Amino acid sequence: MDFAHVSVLLKECIDWLVTDPNGIYVDCTLGGAGHSSEIVARLSDKGRLIGLDQDEDALAAASERLKDARCRVDIVRSNFKDLKEVLRKLGIENVTGVLFDLGVSSYQLDTPERGFSYMHEGPLDMRMDQDAPLTADTIVNTYGEAELAGLIWRYGEERWAKRIAQFIVAERQKKPLHTTGELVDIIKKAIPKGARKEGPHPAKRTFQALRIEVNDELSILDQVIEDAVNALRPGGRIGVITFQSLEDRIVKQKLTQLAKGCVCPPHMPCVCGKKPLIGKPGSLVPGDAEVEMNPRARSARLRFAERL
């Protein structure tokens, strides 16, 4: 299967990010190189792109897609939480732009054997890094009821989290759960019929919660946004595309904090000496035409800022 993924907010993102054709740019979520293809198209032979991803399929697709780039391209298999270390190993002190396109790719959702989708029958996997030890199967079959309910509520904001956890535990006592279809059936039984009539697919929030837990997606965000901003040269730019409220909240709060500088109580004179690192952050969402063409763009938001 081809690594097909429609990059959201593509033009807006690259228009903002690429300010210097000779600059160094980091795509922290390389995927199939949708955004990176546009970045390299705007770079000269003196420019450089560094692409990070932990998904082997993504790296193979991106390598193929970027092989004719005229700028230098470094593709690194890594979780973006290690951005600082990756740049250190490459001997790079600062960069011109950093991009994050958070969440799961269309390819991962549409490849049943990866187990990300509640729409396709597949194993309960959900790993972005295929070598990682934790899978959704392990969580569903070994986490205690309270722990399961807690993560479905925390990462899925699912109001029926407690009932879903109860139903999962009851079912797995009969036999272990190994497929996405089995889990979807249990979730549908757990959520009362009336509550299933409106809103998104009944399994959407639970699957999101499991994916976030498997890939530790949220706990790494705060620090890596700070690392990315610290890696920018003056005038360098950061862009972060989010797809759900939990990650968007973290990104918004972090960028606001980095734009503020001083962390002393408002009624006290400043003793921390912290200066703002970035200008006032901005944000934008896809237009109606993009959402119509790509329904998955509906929940997307680009947050962006420039290093002072």
Side-chain angles (χ1 to χ4, degrees), residues 112 114-126 177-187 203 207:
R114 298 298 295 275
F116 283 100
S117 176
Y118 45 81
M119 303 298 283
H120 303 293
E121 179 74 23
L124 282 170
D125 192 321
M126 303 195 192
L177 309 170
H178 296 308
T179 72
T180 54
E182 288 172 329
L183 183 58
V184 169
D185 288 343
I186 292 165
I187 294 166
F207 270 62

Side-chain angles (χ1 to χ4, degrees), residues 176-221:
L177 309 170
H178 296 308
T179 72
T180 54
E182 288 172 329
L183 183 58
V184 169
D185 288 343
I186 292 165
I187 294 166
K188 283 180 174 172
K189 285 177 195 161
I191 298 176
K193 194 176 178 184
R196 279 188 269 131
K197 280 182 182 167
E198 50 202 48
H201 188 286
K204 180 180 180 180
R205 293 188 176 97
T206 300
F207 270 62
Q208 173 182 296
L210 290 169
R211 192 199 81 220
I212 288 171
E213 175 78 359
V214 167
N215 299 291
D216 192 22
E217 291 175 41
L218 296 182
S219 67
I220 60 178
L221 263 185

Side-chain angles (χ1 to χ4, degrees), residues 50-213:
I50 298 145
L52 277 58
D53 211 293
Q54 52 187 345
D55 188 316
E56 285 175 359
D57 296 342
L59 295 171
S63 299
E64 179 60 29
R65 199 162 176 191
L66 297 171
K67 69 178 192 292
D68 298 325
R70 62 175 174 265
C71 65
R72 175 172 172 178
V73 175
D74 296 275
I75 291 177
V76 183
R77 185 175 184 192
S78 173
N79 185 308
F80 61 59
K81 72 171 191 262
D82 299 319
L83 171 64
K84 205 164 142 181
E85 181 64 10
V86 169
L87 293 178
R88 189 190 67 77
K89 282 184 177 169
L90 292 171
I92 294 169
E93 283 185 22
N94 53 47
V95 300
T96 321
V98 184
L99 174 67
F100 296 86
D101 181 5
L102 301 176
V104 65
S105 72
S106 300
Y107 168 81
Q108 288 165 331
L109 282 172
D110 295 335
T111 306
E113 57 269 28
R114 298 298 295 275
F116 283 100
S117 176
Y118 45 81
M119 303 298 283
H120 303 293
E121 179 74 23
L124 282 170
D125 192 321
M126 303 195 192
R127 291 172 298 172
M128 290 178 182
D129 174 356
Q130 294 100 315
D131 294 335
L134 184 64
T135 65
D137 189 302
T138 308
I139 294 167
V140 165
N141 288 297
T142 66
Y143 277 29
E145 188 180 304
E147 198 178 1
L148 262 179
L151 89 87
I152 295 168
W153 167 251
R154 192 167 61 250
Y155 294 153
E157 299 181 298
E158 170 58 76
R159 62 184 285 221
W160 301 103
K162 211 169 172 182
R163 262 177 76 89
I164 291 167
Q166 284 169 351
F167 276 58
I168 288 172
V169 170
E171 284 296 325
R172 79 185 189 198
Q173 281 168 355
K174 300 173 196 169
K175 69 175 184 65
L177 309 170
H178 296 308
T179 72
T180 54
E182 288 172 329
L183 183 58
V184 169
D185 288 343
I186 292 165
I187 294 166
K188 283 180 174 172
K189 285 177 195 161
I191 298 176
K193 194 176 178 184
R196 279 188 269 131
K197 280 182 182 167
E198 50 202 48
H201 188 286
K204 180 180 180 180
R205 293 188 176 97
T206 300
F207 270 62
Q208 173 182 296
L210 290 169
R211 192 199 81 220
I212 288 171
E213 175 78 359

